[in-house]
Amino acid sequence: MDEALLRSLTPSVLAILVRRGADFAAAEDAVQDALVEAVRVWPADPPRDAKGWLVTVAWRKFLDATRADTARRRREDLVDEEPAPGPAPAVDDTLQLYFLCAHPSLTPSSAVALTLRAVGGLTTRQIAQAYLVPEATMAQRISRAKRTVSGVRFDQPGDVATVLRVLYLVFNEGYSGDVDLAAEAIRLTRQLAAQVDHPEVAGLLALMLLHHARRATRTAPDGSLVPLAEQDRGRWDTEAIAEGVEILQAALARDRLGEFQAQAAIAALHADAPTAEETDWVQIVEWYDELARLTDSPVVLLNRAVAVGEADGPRAGLAALAGLDASLPRHAAVAAYLHERDGDLSTAARLYAEAAQKASNLAERDYLTRQAARLNAHRGR
């Protein structure tokens, strides 16, 4: 069973059902039912036209659900609208569906969560981790969003800012998580940049390209995590870096700074340094100051503490870290790194072990565990 194929077809099938009159919540349920049916049927009897098969089955699932509580006259109208047999048109509806999910009737956070679940294919757990909230809280948020848009016709697409937020989170999950969606997020952001002339759209595209340029060096052949300072910069994708920097410079020249442009500027400074030792940490701290002003995000302040530690020394970094909530993801890992640089190996080892227990993925947990073991071995000599 080709799960990647199913995931890639889901947005188009969902969009077709919505255009044919299905409300979003019912359409999403029908598509999920069709995917379950595909997993059951396709291994023994694969269809010639996968998308057409999914559209037909999903529409029939929707009709079956609708018949239970819909008047006879409306039911007959829906039957008349059933798509004819044959190949479905090869149209990419994914970006359109992102806009449709960012509906004015939803709050931005609910629209993002719903889109990540229905279109991005992320699990509730992955979305909850991106939002830094418990999984149960996110499940309730998604359920409320589906109820809100149930029965609403999508003739008022949402705004660009919400779509950008969704694409950003999808890219981050694809870049560092369990589902490989980074390339798809870049493709859709390119489409959006071609349609919308806004510096933040360009800033997000630049940010994605600059991060993606380093992707091949983020892990070793055995799957272990390779920190930025230890990555082989000769393997970074210089064409992607050059394109990202060019796009960013054009966006910054418009003097309408936003958070994605600021993040891209930080990524560009890392990409521009020939070696880790030559990184312009002073300028990176300045960009983090801008980013903190724009977002008021505790995660930004956590990353800023690392940059301060590099620019002004580990004790300055620890002072910047002192005012932040210790329950923040990766707080213990940052504290461990700064304590190690300050020479407090005992505290650093304890914090690395604590951070490993809280790690969100196996590669990160293994890396932090090795760091703790390395320091404990060094202390034992």
Side-chain angles (χ1 to χ4, degrees):
M1 172 57 59
D2 190 341
E3 294 183 6
L5 173 62
L6 286 177
R7 190 181 302 122
S8 68
L9 292 174
T10 297
S12 290
V13 176
L14 184 54
I16 288 171
L17 264 64
V18 170
R19 284 202 303 268
R20 290 183 177 277
D23 68 69
F24 185 88
E28 204 260 340
D29 288 341
V31 172
Q32 293 302 318
D33 288 343
L35 294 176
V36 171
E37 187 73 4
V39 171
R40 186 182 69 83
V41 172
W42 285 11
D45 185 21
R48 291 183 178 179
D49 175 25
K51 180 177 177 181
W53 188 98
L54 285 171
V55 169
T56 300
V57 173
W59 187 256
R60 288 173 179 166
K61 296 286 186 183
F62 167 67
L63 292 180
D64 289 342
T66 302
R67 288 188 180 101
D69 56 3
T70 303
R72 178 182 178 83
R73 185 172 180 177
R74 175 56 180 155
R75 183 168 69 242
E76 291 174 349
D77 289 342
L78 289 170
V79 172
D80 290 340
E81 296 171 11
E82 181 172 351
V91 178
D92 185 354
D93 301 291
T94 309
L95 187 59
Q96 178 193 12
L97 202 57
Y98 271 68
F99 272 98
L100 293 179
C101 287
H103 196 269
S105 62
L106 295 173
T107 64
S109 61
S110 293
V112 170
L114 179 62
T115 312
L116 289 173
R117 180 70 187 92
V119 188
L122 305 188
T123 66
T124 303
R125 176 185 59 81
Q126 290 167 323
I127 301 169
Q129 289 175 345
Y131 267 93
L132 309 180
V133 299
E135 184 174 349
T137 301
M138 183 53 63
Q140 292 175 353
R141 184 179 299 177
I142 293 172
S143 294
R144 284 197 300 269
K146 292 172 82 170
R147 287 196 300 270
T148 298
V149 300
S150 182
V152 174
R153 295 299 297 269
F154 288 87
D155 54 357
Q156 290 182 283
D159 64 357
V160 173
T162 301
V163 174
L164 285 177
R165 177 63 50 191
V166 175
L167 288 168
Y168 174 67
L169 290 174
V170 169
F171 176 82
N172 281 345
E173 188 60 44
Y175 189 69
S176 62
D178 303 322
V179 182
D180 186 0
L181 294 170
E184 174 69 358
I186 292 174
R187 183 182 71 82
L188 292 173
T189 306
R190 284 191 187 278
Q191 287 187 12
L192 185 61
Q195 298 175 21
V196 178
D197 182 21
H198 193 285
E200 271 295 82
V201 178
L204 179 58
L205 179 56
L207 175 63
M208 289 179 175
L209 290 169
L210 289 165
H211 277 303
H212 207 61
R214 305 198 302 259
R215 187 173 188 182
T217 64
R218 292 184 71 248
T219 55
D222 63 0
S224 60
L225 192 65
V226 180
L228 175 61
E230 300 174 19
Q231 290 174 14
D232 180 358
R233 298 179 181 229
R235 294 178 56 213
W236 286 358
D237 185 341
T238 55
E239 289 186 8
I241 291 173
E243 182 185 6
V245 169
E246 182 180 0
I247 292 171
L248 173 63
Q249 289 175 338
L252 291 174
R254 301 176 66 174
D255 199 23
R256 293 166 60 190
L257 184 64
E259 63 174 297
F260 295 125
Q261 295 169 74
Q263 288 190 56
I266 293 169
L269 286 167
H270 283 297
D272 187 54
T275 66
E277 293 72 23
E278 296 174 86
T279 303
D280 189 346
W281 286 106
V282 172
Q283 194 171 169
I284 287 176
V285 172
E286 293 174 356
W287 276 111
Y288 270 121
D289 289 338
E290 290 286 350
L291 189 56
R293 180 181 61 81
L294 290 165
T295 66
D296 193 30
S297 165
V299 175
V300 168
L301 295 176
L302 186 67
N303 292 331
R304 178 185 178 276
V306 176
V308 169
E310 298 290 351
D312 301 324
R315 294 194 179 182
L318 288 168
L321 188 66
L324 301 181
D325 186 350
S327 66
L328 279 171
R330 296 189 173 87
H331 184 284
V334 170
Y337 174 73
L338 292 171
H339 276 291
E340 180 184 357
R341 289 199 61 224
D342 195 39
D344 186 352
L345 303 189
S346 176
T347 300
R350 175 179 57 80
L351 287 170
Y352 275 129
E354 178 184 326
Q357 294 178 344
K358 299 177 179 178
S360 60
N361 61 71
L362 183 61
E364 184 178 353
R365 185 180 68 194
D366 289 347
Y367 171 77
L368 293 168
T369 300
R370 287 197 303 273
Q371 295 297 94
R374 174 179 57 81
L375 293 185
N376 283 326
H378 180 79
R379 289 167 52 220
R381 292 173 185 170

